[in-house]
């Protein structure tokens, strides 16, 4: 007879089959339940309006009367519309003039604010103040600053012998004035996003670069900028969306009866202003829907181009 005793096996409890199935359902279905609210709201307030707008663009859709299906006729007319191409030119021009210096200044601000100095928290909070200011108030103030007769800019230029400029009367001058409004409001916002991304970069990388003899400039180009690529892509896409949909600044820059036209010769009318003009001034909702669809397509194309450019400039995976 052996002196060793066999270990006692614990009693196995059998779980009911319905509890097993419920546990499996909870394990597999919980992730979908957690993300479902976002997709439900997106479907209601995002996807459905896009699809319905495209459906409207395929019709002759007046404010009153029957809605006649016209197929792609609105798009054919839109591609031959000189006012649409003028609005597209103004939109892209203001976007380029405002976004390029805005990103450069935001990166410089972020690098500066990332260093240790006195009252750095106060300065970090200060750069976001323009973004929380009412866009209508900002536009009205800048309109007075760029006024022809009593504006601050013309007063300063007059001190150097420059003749007063009618900033709202010319294409290049109106683009510049509107771009300065956009830059003043959004540069600090992008700078804080860049700053948050910079503070997430491990300090050991900078220490290793400094030991290898890399200057601050070389550290920025070789360490900071490549690691900021996801943040650059995010800010680029959001800037494209905001730039292509630019509306309030040019609308209030030269207020009046024909403000929606963007000046006497439509010199600073953007695509969104042209959309509103067709939809709520001319009440041609089908044509306005075609303009909205083209804006969506333009945002998509420019976003893809910018993502490709950012990857080429700061390196790829």
């Amino acid at each position: 007879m052996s002196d060793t005793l066999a270990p006692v096996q614990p009693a196995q409890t059998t779980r009911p089959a319905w509890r097993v199935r419920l546990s499996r359902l909870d394990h597999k279905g919980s992730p979908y339940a957690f993300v479902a609210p976002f997709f439900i709201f997106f479907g209601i307030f995002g996807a459905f309006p896009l699809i319905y707008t495209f459906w409207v663009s395929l019709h002759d859709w007046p404010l009153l009367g029957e809605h006649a299906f016209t197929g792609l006729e609105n798009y054919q007319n839109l591609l031959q519309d000189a006012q649409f191409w003028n609005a597209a030119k103004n939109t892209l021009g203001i976007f380029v003039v405002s976004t390029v210096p805005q990103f450069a200044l935001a990166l410089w601000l972020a690098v500066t604010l990332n260093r240790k100095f006195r009252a750095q928290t106060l300065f970090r909070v200060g750069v976001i103040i323009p973004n929380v200011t009412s866009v209508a108030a900002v536009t009205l103030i800048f309109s007075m600053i760029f006024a022809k007769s009593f504006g601050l800019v013309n007063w300063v230029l007059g001190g150097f012998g420059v003749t007063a400029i009618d900033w709202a009367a010319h294409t290049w001058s109106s683009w510049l004035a509107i771009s300065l409004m956009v830059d003043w409001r959004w540069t600090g916002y992008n700078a804080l996003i860049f700053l948050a991304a910079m503070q997430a970069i491990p300090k050991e990388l900078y220490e290793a670069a400094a030991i290898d003899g890399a200057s601050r400039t070389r550290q920025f180009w070789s360490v900071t900028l490549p690691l900021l690529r996801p943040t650059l892509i995010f800010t680029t896409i959001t800037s494209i969306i905001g730039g292509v949909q630019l509306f309030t600044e040019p609308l209030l820059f030269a207020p009046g009866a024909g403000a929606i036209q963007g000046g006497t010769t439509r010199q600073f009318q953007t695509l969104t202003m042209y959309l509103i003009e067709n939809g709520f001034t001319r009440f041609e909702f089908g044509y306005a829907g075609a303009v909205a669809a083209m804006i969506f397509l333009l945002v998509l194309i420019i976003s893809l181009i910018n993502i490709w450019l950012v990857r080429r400039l700061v390196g790829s995976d």
Side-chain angles (χ1 to χ4, degrees):
M1 182 175 181
S2 175
D3 294 335
T4 59
L5 298 177
V8 179
Q9 297 293 335
Q12 295 183 354
T13 59
T14 304
R15 299 177 62 186
W18 66 270
R19 294 193 63 178
V20 174
R21 289 194 296 268
L22 184 62
S23 177
R24 291 176 180 175
L25 179 63
D26 176 69
H27 179 72
K28 295 181 179 180
S30 293
Y32 298 99
F34 292 144
V35 301
F38 166 78
F39 288 99
I40 292 173
F41 279 97
F42 174 77
I44 297 174
F45 300 104
F48 173 73
L50 286 174
I51 297 173
Y52 189 72
T53 300
F54 178 72
W55 173 251
V56 171
S57 70
L58 301 177
H59 293 74
D60 180 12
W61 199 292
L63 180 63
L64 301 174
E66 297 293 332
H67 305 154
F69 182 80
T70 57
L72 299 177
E73 182 179 345
N74 285 326
Y75 293 93
Q76 294 174 355
N77 296 333
L78 191 66
L79 295 177
Q80 300 173 0
D81 189 352
Q83 293 181 357
F84 167 77
W85 290 112
N86 175 72
K89 179 193 70 174
N90 292 333
T91 302
L92 293 177
I94 295 173
F95 169 74
V96 172
V97 173
S98 62
T99 303
V100 174
Q102 179 188 146
F103 272 43
L105 184 58
L107 279 171
W108 176 79
L109 274 175
V111 171
T112 304
L113 294 173
N114 198 31
R115 299 177 183 176
K116 293 184 178 180
F117 55 91
R118 291 183 178 180
Q120 62 178 190
T121 303
L122 179 63
F123 286 99
R124 290 175 179 177
V125 174
V127 297
I128 199 63
I129 291 178
N131 186 251
V132 300
T133 308
S134 170
V135 61
V138 172
T139 306
L140 292 175
I141 291 174
F142 270 84
S143 298
M144 292 186 288
I145 291 175
F146 285 98
K148 179 181 179 181
S149 302
F150 56 87
L152 177 62
V153 175
N154 280 338
W155 179 78
V156 173
L157 293 177
F160 295 94
V162 180
T163 307
I165 300 173
D166 190 355
W167 293 91
H170 309 285
T171 299
W172 69 269
S173 58
S174 59
W175 285 10
L176 181 59
I178 294 171
S179 298
L180 287 174
M181 300 181 207
V182 176
D183 289 347
W184 185 85
R185 191 162 184 263
W186 291 103
T187 299
Y189 172 82
N190 287 325
L192 283 186
I193 294 178
F194 292 146
L195 175 62
M198 289 179 184
Q199 291 185 337
I201 298 175
K203 302 298 182 183
E204 293 80 4
L205 298 178
Y206 293 105
E207 295 173 357
I211 293 175
D212 291 339
S215 62
R216 286 184 178 270
T217 303
R218 174 51 58 187
Q219 291 177 23
F220 173 78
W221 289 105
S222 300
V223 178
T224 304
L225 202 57
L227 294 177
L228 284 181
R229 190 183 65 176
T231 307
L232 286 171
I233 293 175
F234 168 76
T235 53
T236 299
I237 293 176
T238 54
S239 297
I240 291 170
I241 295 173
V244 175
Q245 295 179 351
L246 188 65
F247 177 73
T248 307
E249 288 87 347
L251 179 68
L252 298 179
F253 180 58
I260 196 66
Q261 297 178 1
T264 55
T265 59
R266 301 178 180 268
Q267 61 268 23
F268 55 90
Q269 185 185 47
T270 61
L271 284 171
T272 308
M273 295 171 68
Y274 188 59
L275 185 156
I276 298 298
E277 180 185 8
N278 282 278
F280 299 97
T281 302
R282 303 174 182 174
F283 300 109
E284 298 177 358
F285 295 107
Y287 199 74
V291 177
M294 294 301 291
I295 291 175
F296 175 79
L297 182 62
L298 185 62
V299 169
L300 181 62
I301 293 174
I302 298 177
S303 298
L304 293 176
I305 293 174
N306 276 272
I307 291 173
W308 178 78
L309 286 175
V310 169
R311 288 178 174 176
R312 289 293 300 270
L313 290 174
V314 300
S316 58
D317 291 332

